[in-house]
DNA sequence: AGCCAGGAAGTCC
DNA sequence: GGACTTCATGGC
């Protein structure tokens, strides 16, 4: 068993590493062992171990408070959010109870854009493979030095790579992306990487930050290959706009089946994205059917 | 073999 | 504005 013991263990409620890893919002977490995850984000790596509400992290306390507390969205009380679900909404209550440990991570905007561009009409396993390939080919190596890990004999850590920059990806061709299994999305990524290279990403970020939700969606949809659903995913997962409610095949199926009389969009304002994740995960795991 | 996967663009009307 | 088709590709 691998031991992670740099920090004193801390207690976190309403968080399940396994549920987050399986929730389809991030595609690069890796389960190294039961309850132990390797997380790469923001050009850093982190080893995280969970036993009940007790968590151990491989970074210093200072780094955790400065970087990862925000990444895990720990300043939001998800228990209070769940308590807002209407008593007359039994399906969402069940979904939220099932996915009690899901949180909306504060991920890097560019990584989210690329990830959900690739996600369209695709399955999560293949999305993970494609993104993993992109990082191996075009991402900068990351070191796990400084992380205090007690590794069992013979255990070898995988090579770690940062998510590739727009500039790194714009150097690749559509054929290169096809070889990584991107399919027809290869040309979308080629366009996106080129238009956001050389300062384009920073400019976009600034525009999005001062745009309202509708405008942010429109800006994102103006890019080749980004439609309504992907734009909403980028707003939710890349900009942490918790009132966005991306409707994919799972959500549409749920709405048609269990919400023929409507969904409480107004009442659930500014928590819609979290509730969407509960519903998505519930259906993804096959619990919510029938 | 056909259908599905965290859909979007193109092409009709 | 819709409805319908096409787009890659692996898994079941």
């Amino acid at each position: 068993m691998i031991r992670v013991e740099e920090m004193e263990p801390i207690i976190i409620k309403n968080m399940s590493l396994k549920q987050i890893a399986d929730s389809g919002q991030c595609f690069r977490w890796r389960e190294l062992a039961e309850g132990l995850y390797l997380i790469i984000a923001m050009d850093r790596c982190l080893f995280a171990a969970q036993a009940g509400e007790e968590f151990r992290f491989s970074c210093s306390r200072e780094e955790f408070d400065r970087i990862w507390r925000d990444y895990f969205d720990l300043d939001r009380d998800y228990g209070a959010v769940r308590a807002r679900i209407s008593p007359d909404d039994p399906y969402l209550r069940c979904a939220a109870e099932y996915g009690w440990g899901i949180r909306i991570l504060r991920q890097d905007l560019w990584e989210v854009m690329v990830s959900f561009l690739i996600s369209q009409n695709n399955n999560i396993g293949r999305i993970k493979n494609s993104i993993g390939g992109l990082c191996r080919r075009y991402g900068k190596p990351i070191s796990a030095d400084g992380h205090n890990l007690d590794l069992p004999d013979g255990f070898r850590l995988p090579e770690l790579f940062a998510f590739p920059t727009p500039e790194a990806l714009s150097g690749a061709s559509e054929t290169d992306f096809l070889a990584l299994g991107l399919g027809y999305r290869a040309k979308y990524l080629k366009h996106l990487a080129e238009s956001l290279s050389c300062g384009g990403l920073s400019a976009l970020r600034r525009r999005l930050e001062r745009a309202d939700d509708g405008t942010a969606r429109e800006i994102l949809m103006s890019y080749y290959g980004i439609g309504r659903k992907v734009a909403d995913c980028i707003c939710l997962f890349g900009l942490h706009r918790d009132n966005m409610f991306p409707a994919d095949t799972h959500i549409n199926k749920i709405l048609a089946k269990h919400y023929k009389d409507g969904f409480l969009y107004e009442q659930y304002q500014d928590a819609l994205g979290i509730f969407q994740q509960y519903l998505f995960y519930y259906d993804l795991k096959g619990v919510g059917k029938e």
Side-chain angles (χ1 to χ4, degrees):
Chain A
M1 181 55 188
I2 307 172
R3 251 176 258 164
V4 178
E5 37 192 46
E6 177 67 22
M7 264 172 59
E8 288 299 305
I10 61 176
I11 301 297
I12 303 172
K13 297 182 187 306
N14 299 308
M15 177 154 101
S16 162
L17 296 178
K18 177 169 181 51
Q19 289 178 12
I20 294 171
D22 294 347
S23 71
Q25 62 173 301
C26 53
F27 304 97
R28 292 213 291 157
W29 284 30
R30 283 155 80 164
E31 185 179 37
L32 299 178
E34 174 98 20
L36 175 66
Y37 288 83
L38 164 56
I39 298 166
I40 302 178
M42 303 164 291
D43 296 347
R44 301 165 178 277
C45 71
L46 179 71
F47 298 83
Q50 174 173 14
E53 293 186 342
E54 186 176 293
F55 291 78
R56 293 169 184 274
F57 299 99
S58 63
C59 63
S60 69
R61 181 74 203 211
E62 183 275 328
E63 176 176 333
F64 184 82
D65 287 336
R66 182 166 49 87
I67 305 283
W68 298 103
R69 170 175 297 281
D70 186 59
Y71 175 77
F72 290 117
D73 200 25
L74 294 190
D75 290 328
R76 179 149 196 177
D77 182 351
Y78 280 72
V81 170
R82 278 206 303 284
R84 286 175 43 195
I85 299 175
S86 167
D88 302 322
D89 195 345
Y91 190 83
L92 180 55
R93 294 186 81 86
C94 288
E97 185 179 350
Y98 180 77
W100 58 270
I102 296 175
R103 289 170 169 270
I104 308 288
L105 301 173
R106 293 181 184 269
Q107 301 186 77
D108 171 69
L109 172 63
W110 169 244
E111 177 169 345
V112 168
M113 290 185 74
V114 174
S115 299
F116 283 91
L117 185 77
I118 292 172
S119 77
Q120 62 183 259
N121 197 30
N122 208 341
N123 62 67
I124 291 179
R126 240 186 66 170
I127 297 166
K128 287 180 176 175
N129 286 336
S130 293
I131 293 174
L134 285 176
C135 295
R136 268 194 303 281
R137 298 283 185 297
Y138 307 106
K140 277 174 38 182
I142 292 181
S143 163
D145 291 351
H147 294 267
N148 192 353
L149 297 172
D150 183 9
L151 301 176
D153 287 343
F155 186 91
R156 295 190 66 81
L157 282 179
E159 290 185 86
L160 313 180
F161 296 95
F163 196 84
T165 62
E167 289 76 15
L169 290 181
S170 67
S173 69
E174 181 182 336
T175 310
D176 295 331
F177 293 150
L178 276 173
L180 291 174
L182 292 202
Y184 68 90
R185 310 156 197 89
K187 54 183 178 294
Y188 299 158
L189 181 56
K190 181 61 182 165
H191 279 262
L192 191 66
E194 281 179 353
S195 58
L196 293 187
S197 289
C198 306
L201 177 59
S202 305
L204 172 64
R205 195 188 308 272
R206 282 193 296 274
R207 287 177 67 200
L208 291 173
E209 276 167 2
R210 54 183 159 79
D212 59 47
D213 292 332
T215 308
R217 173 192 286 153
E218 277 183 33
I219 292 171
L220 291 166
M221 285 179 66
S222 70
Y223 290 91
Y224 183 47
I226 298 182
R228 163 81 180 249
K229 187 268 174 182
V230 170
D232 286 0
C233 282
I234 295 169
C235 286
L236 175 59
F237 301 121
L239 300 171
H240 211 84
R241 298 190 181 222
D242 294 333
N243 50 332
M244 303 301 282
F245 191 81
D248 75 318
T249 60
H250 295 278
I251 296 297
N252 285 328
K253 187 177 73 180
I254 291 171
L255 291 177
K257 200 170 186 177
H258 301 280
Y259 291 96
K260 291 176 182 170
D261 297 329
F263 189 74
L264 299 174
Y265 293 104
E266 293 80 11
Q267 182 174 334
Y268 295 155
Q269 272 295 339
D270 73 270
L272 280 171
I274 297 170
F275 293 162
Q276 186 270 2
Q277 274 303 97
Y278 292 145
L279 294 173
F280 173 83
Y281 182 75
Y282 197 47
D283 189 71
L284 182 71
K285 290 298 188 181
V287 191
K289 57 186 174 190
E290 188 49 34

